[in-house]
């Protein structure tokens, strides 16, 4: 395909060669199952077995991966009282430690390459990272950290964060981190809930060529944490160790808390989500070894900060024997090719990023492969938002030969993706390749029935081991029930709007509670953005449907005109947007209002905030609908709110 302009959803972009498919870890797992008397003639048949025989699948995965249990399980799976995912119990009686799988890797092999935007680089072998983590663990013990305690960290994505996490997990303590760019109140909102015994901090961080000191922010954070025993830097932890100390993992129960992640916090206090050692180990081995085909010799990169679940998933590469590549700083500094230049230099084999980043590269006309040696690259991961068909085509064409574009969709709630890549399957534009093994993903219609070829609610009809153990402070489980299981008793409603195709692929259309419902025609926001943001003169957009039950409200489009495009004026641009939407979406989805702004608010992880803005328009007080500290650009929110007030919309 010479370009991506004419690509449409469902166009075939990539087919794995027979040799590549046969040499994959997915193929090796299928061969292992064949030796046990189980035969599968397709990925779809393998997936069907994996969700119909959950104990059989997950126990087989643990056996194939040689998970080093210090005590075996007495029972693989006990379903909840309702017979579904809620309150299911996994591998009861089993003991292990996440760090056991890290320590069994070849100590001489490269474990971690840490890069930053200024060109700084460090590399540690598995043995060297284990030695550093052992010293950090000794430092934590000197501060009184023991099994069951909580350790919080404000660290950039690099060596210190990885070593401190491994140290914490080895002790049976629970890890939780925020990125340094978070506001102090956002950090307090998260860490005050979990009452850490120790806080690990950094003095400063860099982003976009600027250095930011954290002394004031750290002081405010410490002041907001009751019961904190001590705050220390990574260097202070190592000094407390007094010298080398072996990394000695403490055996813990399968569901013993490993880490605490947080929901975005855009609509109130972030949910503090607890996940366990065993569930994360199995889920990450499945997602990374089988679906992303990672193992020794692979170099695994995913652009993230320590405040996003993709950082936790990146660490899972250490369970597979791969080399993880951590990057700290702006993805666009000192130039738009910064990440690709890093990938070329480090011979990255799996390059993970966000859909908005890929779309930005595509719209900017970048062709990374034309000037860089990206021949090592075999797969591209995309998440954080739906990737357009054009984005799929651009990444397939512009990065490397024979590259699989694996768009994934899941969430912080499970620290994985429900919809994943697969080395055995082709890639179709705009479609996620498959539901992950062990993930019983369906699209439900308004009557709660699974449908194929129609858009519906993404529902998980069976338990997965990395589903949350609990929310912190949710003693009776009410908040967890309301978050996932209230709509369909026993079944997990994720809140995404998806279509399952007849060939088993999926198309994600955005959050179901941000759905555009015009004249009875419901549509996910990604379809809308695909049309609007394909216009060169549009840099960014946000669409909100102010309809309520029984009342059709206005469809409001906020857009950021591109700078220096030499294109039409604002009035002409609005007319162009309306015409494109009428022609390519539907006349019903032409906005009632178009409001131009200098910038739009996004979460710290780059996601659009349609739902909070909709709630504000419908009357929810701003402070209850959206926390400014959860945004990467709070000033953009003020511009948007001012525009709404000026027009009498709030």
């Amino acid at each position: 395909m010479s370009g991506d302009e004419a690509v449409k959803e469902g166009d075939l972009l990539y087919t794995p060669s027979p040799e590549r498919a046969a040499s994959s870890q997915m193929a090796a797992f299928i061969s292992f199952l064949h030796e046990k008397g189980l035969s599968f003639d397709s990925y779809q048949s393998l997936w069907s077995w994996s969700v119909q025989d959950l104990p059989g699948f997950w126990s087989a995965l643990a056996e194939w991966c040689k998970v080093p249990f210090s005590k075996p399980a007495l029972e693989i799976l006990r379903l909840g009282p309702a017979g579904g995912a809620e309150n299911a119990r996994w591998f009861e009686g089993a003991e292990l430690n996440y760090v056991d799988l890290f320590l069994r890797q070849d100590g001489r092999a490269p474990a971690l390459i840490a890069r930053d935007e200024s060109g700084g680089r460090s590399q540690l072998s598995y043995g060297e990272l284990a030695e550093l983590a052992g010293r950090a663990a000794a430092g934590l013990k000197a501060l009184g950290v023991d099994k069951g305690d909580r350790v919080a960290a404000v660290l950039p994505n690099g060596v210190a964060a990885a070593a401190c996490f491994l140290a914490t997990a080895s002790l049976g303590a629970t890890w939780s981190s925020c990125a340094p760019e978070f506001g102090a109140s956002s950090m307090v909102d998260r860490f005050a809930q979990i009452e850490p015994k120790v806080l690990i901090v950094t003095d400063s961080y860099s982003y976009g060529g600027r250095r930011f000191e954290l002394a004031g922010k750290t002081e405010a954070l410490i002041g907001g944490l009751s019961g904190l025993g001590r705050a220390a830097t990574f260097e202070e932890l190592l000094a407390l160790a007094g010298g080398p100390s072996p990394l000695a993992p403490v055996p813990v129960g399968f569901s013993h808390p490993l880490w605490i992640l947080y929901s975005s916090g855009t609509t109130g206090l972030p949910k503090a989500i607890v996940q366990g050692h065993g569930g994360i180990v199995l889920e990450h081995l499945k997602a990374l070894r089988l679906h992303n085909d990672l193992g020794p010799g692979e170099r695994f990169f995913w652009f993230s900060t320590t405040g996003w679940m993709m950082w936790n998933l990146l660490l899972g590469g250490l369970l597979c024997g791969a080399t993880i590549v951590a990057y700290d700083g702006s993805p666009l500094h000192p130039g738009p090719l910064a990440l690709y230049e890093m990938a070329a230099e480090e011979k990255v084999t799996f390059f993970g990023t966000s859909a908005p980043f890929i779309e930005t590269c595509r719209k900017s006309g970048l062709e990374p492969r034309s000037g860089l040696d990206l021949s090592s690259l075999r797969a591209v991961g995309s998440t954080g938002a739906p990737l357009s068909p054009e984005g799929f085509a651009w990444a397939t064409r512009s990065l490397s030969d024979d590259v699989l574009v694996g768009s994934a969709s899941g969430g912080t709630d499970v620290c994985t993706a429900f919809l994943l890549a697969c080395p055995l399957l082709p890639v179709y534009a705009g479609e996620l390749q498959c539901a992950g093994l062990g993930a019983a993903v369906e699209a439900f219609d308004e009557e709660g029935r699974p449908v194929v070829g129609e858009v519906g609610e993404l529902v998980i009809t069976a338990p997965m081991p990395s589903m949350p153990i609990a929310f912190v402070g949710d003693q009776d489980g009410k908040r967890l029930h309301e978050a996932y299981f209230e709509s369909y008793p026993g079944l997990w409603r994720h809140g995404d709007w998806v279509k399952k195709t007849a060939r088993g692929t999926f198309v994600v259309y955005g959050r179901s509670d941000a759905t555009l419902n015009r004249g009875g025609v419901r549509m996910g926001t990604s379809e809308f953005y695909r049309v609007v943001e394909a216009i060169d003169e549009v840099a960014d957009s946000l669409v909100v449907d102010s309809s309520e039950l029984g009342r059709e409200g206005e469809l409001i489009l906020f857009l950021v005109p591109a700078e220096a495009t030499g294109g039409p004026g604002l009035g002409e641009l609005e007319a162009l947007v309306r015409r494109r939407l009428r022609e390519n979406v539907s006349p019903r989805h032409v906005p009632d209002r178009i409001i131009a702004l200098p910038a739009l608010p996004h979460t710290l992880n780059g996601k659009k905030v349609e739902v909070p803005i909709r709630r504000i328009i419908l009357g929810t007080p701003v402070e209850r609908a959206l926390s400014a500290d959860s945004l990467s650009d709070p000033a953009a929110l003020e511009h948007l709110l001012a525009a709404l007030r000026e027009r009498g919309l709030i």
Side-chain angles (χ1 to χ4, degrees):
M1 184 174 293
S2 60
D4 54 65
E5 296 81 3
V7 72
K8 62 182 184 300
E9 184 182 295
D11 283 352
L12 178 64
L13 298 177
Y14 164 88
T15 302
S17 68
E19 295 78 17
R20 181 167 170 179
S23 65
S24 68
Q25 295 208 46
M26 186 74 79
F29 181 59
I30 291 173
S31 295
F32 165 78
L33 295 174
H34 182 73
E35 293 171 1
K36 298 175 73 68
L38 295 165
S39 295
F40 305 100
D41 59 3
S42 65
Y43 176 80
Q44 195 65 25
S45 64
L46 173 64
W47 174 82
S48 295
W49 167 75
S50 77
V51 296
Q52 290 165 8
D53 184 1
L54 292 170
F57 166 68
W58 289 105
S59 59
L61 177 72
E63 182 182 352
W64 181 68
C65 293
K66 297 182 173 60
V67 174
F69 290 110
S70 52
K71 283 187 180 179
L74 301 175
E75 185 177 16
I76 301 300
L77 172 61
R78 180 181 300 172
L79 294 176
E86 188 170 14
N87 295 317
R89 296 290 179 264
W90 289 95
F91 286 76
E92 289 194 295
E95 290 189 354
L96 76 166
N97 190 296
Y98 180 104
V99 179
D100 291 328
L101 285 93
F102 164 74
L103 287 175
R104 74 176 183 180
Q105 309 300 333
D106 181 353
R108 300 163 297 178
L112 170 64
I113 296 170
R115 296 282 301 253
D116 63 39
E117 67 175 25
S118 66
R121 182 185 190 275
S122 57
Q123 178 172 325
L124 281 76
S125 68
Y126 274 87
E128 290 168 334
L129 183 54
E131 189 274 336
L132 203 58
R135 290 173 61 196
L140 289 171
K141 289 177 71 174
L143 293 178
V145 174
D146 205 347
K147 181 178 178 180
D149 290 330
R150 293 167 178 169
V151 174
V154 180
L155 293 170
N157 184 10
V159 171
C164 289
F165 161 69
L166 291 169
T168 300
S170 74
L171 299 174
T174 305
W175 171 265
S176 193
S177 60
C178 281
E181 64 266 27
F182 277 31
S185 61
S186 282
M187 295 181 188
V188 172
D189 283 348
R190 288 157 173 79
F191 291 159
Q193 296 184 64
I194 72 171
E195 300 180 332
K197 176 171 281 190
V198 168
L199 173 67
I200 308 170
V201 296
T202 186
D203 296 328
S204 61
Y205 72 98
S206 295
Y207 192 88
R210 295 178 58 197
R211 192 83 176 164
F212 297 88
E213 300 298 324
L214 291 181
K217 194 183 291 187
T218 300
E219 183 179 354
L221 172 58
I222 292 171
L225 299 180
S226 61
L228 180 67
R230 170 78 182 272
T233 65
F234 179 54
E235 293 73 20
E236 289 169 337
L237 271 188
L238 298 184
L240 286 168
S245 182
L247 187 61
V250 174
V252 296
F254 188 89
S255 296
H256 184 81
L258 171 65
W259 55 44
I260 298 170
L261 305 181
Y262 303 92
S263 62
S264 62
T266 55
T267 56
L269 200 64
K271 298 188 293 288
I273 303 166
V274 186
Q275 292 158 346
H277 277 246
I280 290 297
V281 161
L282 288 184
E283 180 55 48
H284 285 189
L285 286 172
K286 180 206 78 178
L288 297 176
R289 285 193 64 177
L290 295 180
H291 288 276
N292 289 349
D293 204 21
L294 293 176
E298 298 288 335
R299 294 202 163 185
F300 176 41
F301 166 76
W302 208 299
F303 180 77
S304 183
T305 72
T306 55
W308 188 23
M309 59 146 283
M310 295 310 297
W311 179 80
N312 303 71
L313 188 73
L314 175 66
L315 291 176
L318 299 173
L319 306 179
C320 307
T323 303
I324 63 172
V325 181
Y327 185 89
D328 182 54
S330 167
L332 301 174
H333 182 82
L337 290 172
L339 292 186
Y340 300 115
E341 290 167 349
M342 178 277 298
E345 292 166 9
E346 300 298 348
K347 301 189 184 309
V348 167
T349 58
F350 190 105
F351 182 96
T353 184
S354 68
F357 179 76
I358 291 176
E359 299 290 359
T360 296
C361 294
R362 178 181 69 83
K363 293 190 71 172
S364 299
L366 295 183
E367 293 290 333
R369 66 178 298 172
S370 65
L372 298 171
D373 180 7
L374 292 169
S375 57
S376 296
L377 191 63
R378 60 165 184 78
V380 173
S382 171
T383 195
L387 182 62
S388 70
E390 295 85 355
F392 270 86
W394 178 88
T396 302
R397 173 179 57 81
S398 301
L399 297 181
S400 183
D401 291 330
D402 194 33
V403 64
L404 182 156
V405 178
S407 181
S409 182
T412 299
D413 319 75
V414 287
C415 199
T416 189
F418 303 118
L419 306 174
L420 284 158
C422 178
L424 307 181
L425 297 174
V427 175
Y428 298 92
E431 298 180 8
L432 288 71
Q433 284 179 285
C434 62
L437 294 176
V441 184
E442 299 289 351
F444 273 24
D445 66 12
E446 292 180 329
E447 304 300 321
R449 299 170 300 198
V451 292
V452 175
E454 300 177 25
V455 179
E457 289 274 2
L458 190 157
V459 176
I460 312 299
T461 63
M464 294 173 64
S466 68
M467 285 177 173
I469 299 166
F471 292 163
V472 173
D474 183 27
Q475 301 300 330
D476 59 3
K478 181 181 178 182
R479 290 176 62 211
L480 190 144
H481 172 82
E482 291 174 346
Y484 310 117
F485 301 109
E486 193 167 51
S487 298
Y488 308 104
L491 308 182
W492 177 290
R493 173 190 174 272
H494 194 61
D496 279 347
W497 196 236
V498 301
K499 178 177 69 180
K500 181 178 183 178
T501 73
R503 56 178 166 239
T505 62
F506 287 80
V507 181
V508 178
Y509 296 99
R511 298 295 294 172
S512 58
D513 46 9
T515 298
L516 310 177
N517 189 350
R518 312 302 295 171
V521 178
R522 298 201 295 172
M523 178 177 294
T525 53
S526 71
E527 293 182 86
F528 195 93
Y529 295 136
R530 179 189 169 194
V531 173
V532 173
E533 294 178 11
I535 299 171
D536 290 338
E537 292 80 13
V538 175
D540 196 8
S541 64
L542 180 78
V543 64
V544 175
D545 185 350
S546 67
S547 298
E548 296 181 272
L549 186 64
R551 182 189 71 84
E552 183 163 291
E554 290 190 321
L555 191 64
I556 305 168
L557 172 63
F558 304 91
L559 62 80
V560 179
E563 295 181 4
T565 61
L570 188 57
E572 294 175 84
L573 177 57
E574 290 187 11
L576 175 61
V577 168
R578 293 180 190 280
R579 184 171 69 252
R580 292 281 181 87
L581 287 168
R582 183 177 293 106
E583 294 171 351
N584 297 288
V585 181
S586 85
R588 295 180 180 180
H589 290 83
V590 174
D592 298 294
R593 296 178 188 252
I594 297 180
I595 301 174
L597 294 169
L600 289 171
H602 293 81
T603 69
L604 290 163
N605 294 329
K607 295 185 178 181
K608 298 178 188 281
V609 290
E610 304 108 324
V611 175
I613 299 304
R614 178 176 180 270
R615 289 174 177 166
I616 290 170
I617 292 171
L618 292 177
T620 301
V622 174
E623 62 276 10
R624 285 178 49 200
L626 183 62
S627 168
D629 283 333
S630 70
L631 303 176
S632 59
D633 43 5
L637 174 63
E638 291 306 316
H639 286 297
L640 189 149
L641 294 176
L644 291 176
R645 293 188 186 103
E646 182 181 331
R647 290 160 176 81
L649 293 172
I650 60 172

